[in-house]
Amino acid sequence: MPAWLGLYYARPLELTHGRGRHVWDSTGRRYLDFFGGILTTATAHALPEVTAAVTEQAARILHTSTLYLSRPMVELAERIAHLSGIPDARVFFTTSGTEANDAALLLATCHRRSHQVLALRNSYHGRSFATVGLTGNAHWSPTALSPLQTLHVHGGVRTRGPFAHLPDAEFTAACVADLHDMLDQTARGVAAFIAEPVQGVGGFTMPPDGLLGAFREVLDQHGILWISDEVQTGWGRTGDHFWGWQAHAQNGPPDLLTFAKGIGNGMSVGGVVARAEIMDSLPAQSISTFGGSPVTMAAALANLTHLLDHDLQGNARRVGGLLIERLRAVTAGLSTVREVRGRGLMIGLELVEPGTDTTSPRAAALVLEAARERGLLLGRGGPDGAVLRIAPPLTLTVAEAEEGAQALAEALHEVEETLTAHPTTR
Ligand code: PMP
């Protein structure tokens, strides 16, 4: 396998099974899962309804392709179209978030007859040739060659960068002014603007609420389409909203919305939602052999039903709110924790070298190991990997949140002691 497939941990972990919010490794050790396989186990491991849906569908028919009618695919498309808030919506299913964004870019660039795209700095949108060109994070973007011309604008990172010192309203005004400037000076008929409402790989950074809506007003003046990448922020994870864009757009939904990860609870489901006028504007035929395959659609339907019936968005708001407060309290005296940020069950801790403002990837690596030793799995993110990411399944209980916060606090204290004793090595 490729060297660039990075594994977590000095001694990589083999997970063999899971239940609820827990997973087990091949030695039989149990862990509280605070990362859900990169925000993908959205409801729970081994959720009985999803297991039953997969088993029943697998016993009937595994594959048909998009050449034939498929009841689970049409049902899921109708439900997502309705939930998206996009008027006259059409849904196209893919097998990943990368492919969903690729499809959205194809639609937007064909519709607008332009290959210029705006993206946020510190963004991540996938690993394909087109999406790495968009990604505003050099660690995840191996080539400057691209079928797109991407212009990166400010706005995704609130507490670092040239506008970090400004209060929210002025921060937003500065980013809007930058966007105007970019469009007036540099751009020629831009096709689309793509943004994650909360930047995932970027380390759970986000703009002040309303910024993307303010951008929307500018984009509208130029006819530029807004693509909301909801691959991490969709399905209620952010607690206050079902979609991340809803924290921003008083003036309505995006033109296109992409999704993946949590909807399938681990089955490969992604997709793009767009108004019919945009979705149907492709001047050629297309197909997806695996996109929308029956087993994945049946799983996603069962998962979505569970998520809505049990108000897991509400649980993300309640338990996530409690967890972030708890984490702020237990890290208050630690000089390695620069910021605890996020919303719902999407919480990031940015780590720095003790007593400095310099991001500390080594601290993040050590905390990941120390938390593992205490039976807690975390994620990492940020431009250089110095942010701890917490994104457990949305069924997380209060007791589990407290247990995880305690383990993390112990790990952070241990690492702070180590780093303070060895301040020079990095
Ligand atoms: N968009 C965002 C916001 C993501 O976080 C990711 C995956 N980390 C992707 C797109 C790509 O999704 P996938 O890995 O399913 O291709």
Side-chain angles (χ1 to χ4, degrees), residues 28-44:
R29 180 146 190 215
R30 190 179 88 139
Y31 303 87
L32 181 58
D33 185 2
F34 264 18
F35 205 37
I38 326 179
L39 295 88
T40 299
T41 305
T43 49

PDB file of all heavy atoms in Angstrom, residues 28-44:
ATOM      1  N   GLY A  28      -8.209  -7.385  21.851  1.00  0.00           N
ATOM      2  CA  GLY A  28      -9.385  -7.447  22.716  1.00  0.00           C
ATOM      3  C   GLY A  28      -9.574  -6.212  23.582  1.00  0.00           C
ATOM      4  O   GLY A  28     -10.508  -6.135  24.374  1.00  0.00           O
ATOM      5  N   ARG A  29      -8.725  -5.201  23.395  1.00  0.00           N
ATOM      6  CA  ARG A  29      -8.845  -4.001  24.214  1.00  0.00           C
ATOM      7  C   ARG A  29      -9.958  -3.083  23.679  1.00  0.00           C
ATOM      8  O   ARG A  29     -10.122  -2.918  22.480  1.00  0.00           O
ATOM      9  CB  ARG A  29      -7.495  -3.259  24.199  1.00  0.00           C
ATOM     10  CG  ARG A  29      -7.544  -2.032  25.022  1.00  0.00           C
ATOM     11  CD  ARG A  29      -6.264  -1.694  25.717  1.00  0.00           C
ATOM     12  NE  ARG A  29      -6.607  -0.606  26.643  1.00  0.00           N
ATOM     13  CZ  ARG A  29      -5.824   0.397  26.955  1.00  0.00           C
ATOM     14  NH1 ARG A  29      -4.602   0.420  26.483  1.00  0.00           N
ATOM     15  NH2 ARG A  29      -6.226   1.337  27.770  1.00  0.00           N
ATOM     16  N   ARG A  30     -10.695  -2.487  24.604  1.00  0.00           N
ATOM     17  CA  ARG A  30     -11.833  -1.644  24.231  1.00  0.00           C
ATOM     18  C   ARG A  30     -11.457  -0.161  24.286  1.00  0.00           C
ATOM     19  O   ARG A  30     -10.706   0.259  25.168  1.00  0.00           O
ATOM     20  CB  ARG A  30     -12.979  -1.914  25.218  1.00  0.00           C
ATOM     21  CG  ARG A  30     -14.293  -1.289  24.827  1.00  0.00           C
ATOM     22  CD  ARG A  30     -15.355  -1.650  25.856  1.00  0.00           C
ATOM     23  NE  ARG A  30     -15.347  -0.666  26.933  1.00  0.00           N
ATOM     24  CZ  ARG A  30     -16.451  -0.179  27.507  1.00  0.00           C
ATOM     25  NH1 ARG A  30     -17.644  -0.618  27.119  1.00  0.00           N
ATOM     26  NH2 ARG A  30     -16.362   0.705  28.474  1.00  0.00           N
ATOM     27  N   TYR A  31     -11.985   0.610  23.348  1.00  0.00           N
ATOM     28  CA  TYR A  31     -11.731   2.064  23.309  1.00  0.00           C
ATOM     29  C   TYR A  31     -13.039   2.815  23.133  1.00  0.00           C
ATOM     30  O   TYR A  31     -13.939   2.358  22.410  1.00  0.00           O
ATOM     31  CB  TYR A  31     -10.837   2.442  22.114  1.00  0.00           C
ATOM     32  CG  TYR A  31      -9.518   1.735  22.081  1.00  0.00           C
ATOM     33  CD1 TYR A  31      -9.399   0.483  21.468  1.00  0.00           C
ATOM     34  CD2 TYR A  31      -8.386   2.298  22.652  1.00  0.00           C
ATOM     35  CE1 TYR A  31      -8.188  -0.190  21.439  1.00  0.00           C
ATOM     36  CE2 TYR A  31      -7.168   1.640  22.624  1.00  0.00           C
ATOM     37  CZ  TYR A  31      -7.077   0.395  22.016  1.00  0.00           C
ATOM     38  OH  TYR A  31      -5.880  -0.264  21.983  1.00  0.00           O
ATOM     39  N   LEU A  32     -13.105   3.979  23.751  1.00  0.00           N
ATOM     40  CA  LEU A  32     -14.184   4.923  23.486  1.00  0.00           C
ATOM     41  C   LEU A  32     -13.800   5.665  22.202  1.00  0.00           C
ATOM     42  O   LEU A  32     -12.706   6.228  22.117  1.00  0.00           O
ATOM     43  CB  LEU A  32     -14.306   5.900  24.669  1.00  0.00           C
ATOM     44  CG  LEU A  32     -15.408   6.951  24.593  1.00  0.00           C
ATOM     45  CD1 LEU A  32     -16.791   6.316  24.451  1.00  0.00           C
ATOM     46  CD2 LEU A  32     -15.369   7.848  25.854  1.00  0.00           C
ATOM     47  N   ASP A  33     -14.686   5.640  21.224  1.00  0.00           N
ATOM     48  CA  ASP A  33     -14.345   6.146  19.897  1.00  0.00           C
ATOM     49  C   ASP A  33     -14.795   7.595  19.748  1.00  0.00           C
ATOM     50  O   ASP A  33     -15.965   7.869  19.515  1.00  0.00           O
ATOM     51  CB  ASP A  33     -15.000   5.260  18.831  1.00  0.00           C
ATOM     52  CG  ASP A  33     -14.581   5.660  17.429  1.00  0.00           C
ATOM     53  OD1 ASP A  33     -13.757   6.586  17.289  1.00  0.00           O
ATOM     54  OD2 ASP A  33     -15.093   5.047  16.469  1.00  0.00           O
ATOM     55  N   PHE A  34     -13.846   8.509  19.845  1.00  0.00           N
ATOM     56  CA  PHE A  34     -14.150   9.942  19.699  1.00  0.00           C
ATOM     57  C   PHE A  34     -13.831  10.435  18.281  1.00  0.00           C
ATOM     58  O   PHE A  34     -13.712  11.633  18.070  1.00  0.00           O
ATOM     59  CB  PHE A  34     -13.367  10.769  20.736  1.00  0.00           C
ATOM     60  CG  PHE A  34     -14.157  11.097  21.980  1.00  0.00           C
ATOM     61  CD1 PHE A  34     -15.306  10.393  22.312  1.00  0.00           C
ATOM     62  CD2 PHE A  34     -13.753  12.134  22.838  1.00  0.00           C
ATOM     63  CE1 PHE A  34     -16.047  10.702  23.463  1.00  0.00           C
ATOM     64  CE2 PHE A  34     -14.490  12.456  23.977  1.00  0.00           C
ATOM     65  CZ  PHE A  34     -15.641  11.744  24.286  1.00  0.00           C
ATOM     66  N   PHE A  35     -13.663   9.529  17.326  1.00  0.00           N
ATOM     67  CA  PHE A  35     -13.397  10.014  15.967  1.00  0.00           C
ATOM     68  C   PHE A  35     -14.285   9.354  14.911  1.00  0.00           C
ATOM     69  O   PHE A  35     -14.415   9.859  13.800  1.00  0.00           O
ATOM     70  CB  PHE A  35     -11.915   9.861  15.606  1.00  0.00           C
ATOM     71  CG  PHE A  35     -11.462  10.838  14.535  1.00  0.00           C
ATOM     72  CD1 PHE A  35     -11.945  12.143  14.490  1.00  0.00           C
ATOM     73  CD2 PHE A  35     -10.546  10.452  13.571  1.00  0.00           C
ATOM     74  CE1 PHE A  35     -11.540  13.039  13.507  1.00  0.00           C
ATOM     75  CE2 PHE A  35     -10.118  11.353  12.590  1.00  0.00           C
ATOM     76  CZ  PHE A  35     -10.617  12.642  12.560  1.00  0.00           C
ATOM     77  N   GLY A  36     -14.910   8.227  15.266  1.00  0.00           N
ATOM     78  CA  GLY A  36     -15.891   7.602  14.363  1.00  0.00           C
ATOM     79  C   GLY A  36     -15.379   7.357  12.948  1.00  0.00           C
ATOM     80  O   GLY A  36     -16.115   7.545  11.987  1.00  0.00           O
ATOM     81  N   GLY A  37     -14.101   6.931  12.841  1.00  0.00           N
ATOM     82  CA  GLY A  37     -13.566   6.653  11.502  1.00  0.00           C
ATOM     83  C   GLY A  37     -13.651   7.895  10.620  1.00  0.00           C
ATOM     84  O   GLY A  37     -14.115   7.808   9.471  1.00  0.00           O
ATOM     85  N   ILE A  38     -13.235   9.024  11.137  1.00  0.00           N
ATOM     86  CA  ILE A  38     -13.293  10.345  10.471  1.00  0.00           C
ATOM     87  C   ILE A  38     -14.752  10.776  10.282  1.00  0.00           C
ATOM     88  O   ILE A  38     -15.221  10.965   9.157  1.00  0.00           O
ATOM     89  CB  ILE A  38     -12.511  10.392   9.133  1.00  0.00           C
ATOM     90  CG1 ILE A  38     -11.251   9.517   9.163  1.00  0.00           C
ATOM     91  CG2 ILE A  38     -12.164  11.836   8.787  1.00  0.00           C
ATOM     92  CD1 ILE A  38     -10.454   9.515   7.854  1.00  0.00           C
ATOM     93  N   LEU A  39     -15.464  10.956  11.359  1.00  0.00           N
ATOM     94  CA  LEU A  39     -16.830  11.501  11.388  1.00  0.00           C
ATOM     95  C   LEU A  39     -17.824  10.693  10.556  1.00  0.00           C
ATOM     96  O   LEU A  39     -18.802  11.222  10.046  1.00  0.00           O
ATOM     97  CB  LEU A  39     -16.859  12.959  10.892  1.00  0.00           C
ATOM     98  CG  LEU A  39     -16.131  13.996  11.715  1.00  0.00           C
ATOM     99  CD1 LEU A  39     -14.678  14.097  11.295  1.00  0.00           C
ATOM    100  CD2 LEU A  39     -16.790  15.354  11.590  1.00  0.00           C
ATOM    101  N   THR A  40     -17.544   9.404  10.397  1.00  0.00           N
ATOM    102  CA  THR A  40     -18.349   8.626   9.458  1.00  0.00           C
ATOM    103  C   THR A  40     -19.311   7.689  10.169  1.00  0.00           C
ATOM    104  O   THR A  40     -20.426   7.455   9.694  1.00  0.00           O
ATOM    105  CB  THR A  40     -17.404   7.878   8.496  1.00  0.00           C
ATOM    106  OG1 THR A  40     -16.660   8.866   7.808  1.00  0.00           O
ATOM    107  CG2 THR A  40     -18.156   7.018   7.521  1.00  0.00           C
ATOM    108  N   THR A  41     -18.899   7.139  11.316  1.00  0.00           N
ATOM    109  CA  THR A  41     -19.844   6.374  12.121  1.00  0.00           C
ATOM    110  C   THR A  41     -20.724   7.419  12.818  1.00  0.00           C
ATOM    111  O   THR A  41     -20.443   7.858  13.921  1.00  0.00           O
ATOM    112  CB  THR A  41     -19.093   5.472  13.121  1.00  0.00           C
ATOM    113  OG1 THR A  41     -18.186   4.667  12.374  1.00  0.00           O
ATOM    114  CG2 THR A  41     -20.051   4.582  13.892  1.00  0.00           C
ATOM    115  N   ALA A  42     -21.774   7.835  12.116  1.00  0.00           N
ATOM    116  CA  ALA A  42     -22.543   9.008  12.556  1.00  0.00           C
ATOM    117  C   ALA A  42     -23.479   8.673  13.708  1.00  0.00           C
ATOM    118  O   ALA A  42     -23.662   9.486  14.609  1.00  0.00           O
ATOM    119  CB  ALA A  42     -23.354   9.564  11.396  1.00  0.00           C
ATOM    120  N   THR A  43     -24.094   7.510  13.675  1.00  0.00           N
ATOM    121  CA  THR A  43     -25.068   7.179  14.718  1.00  0.00           C
ATOM    122  C   THR A  43     -24.423   6.283  15.775  1.00  0.00           C
ATOM    123  O   THR A  43     -24.319   6.687  16.933  1.00  0.00           O
ATOM    124  CB  THR A  43     -26.314   6.504  14.116  1.00  0.00           C
ATOM    125  OG1 THR A  43     -25.894   5.446  13.254  1.00  0.00           O
ATOM    126  CG2 THR A  43     -27.154   7.499  13.335  1.00  0.00           C
ATOM    127  N   ALA A  44     -24.006   5.087  15.381  1.00  0.00           N
ATOM    128  CA  ALA A  44     -23.384   4.157  16.325  1.00  0.00           C
ATOM    129  C   ALA A  44     -22.725   3.033  15.546  1.00  0.00           C
ATOM    130  O   ALA A  44     -23.130   2.740  14.416  1.00  0.00           O
ATOM    131  CB  ALA A  44     -24.429   3.588  17.270  1.00  0.00           C
TER     132      ALA A  44
END
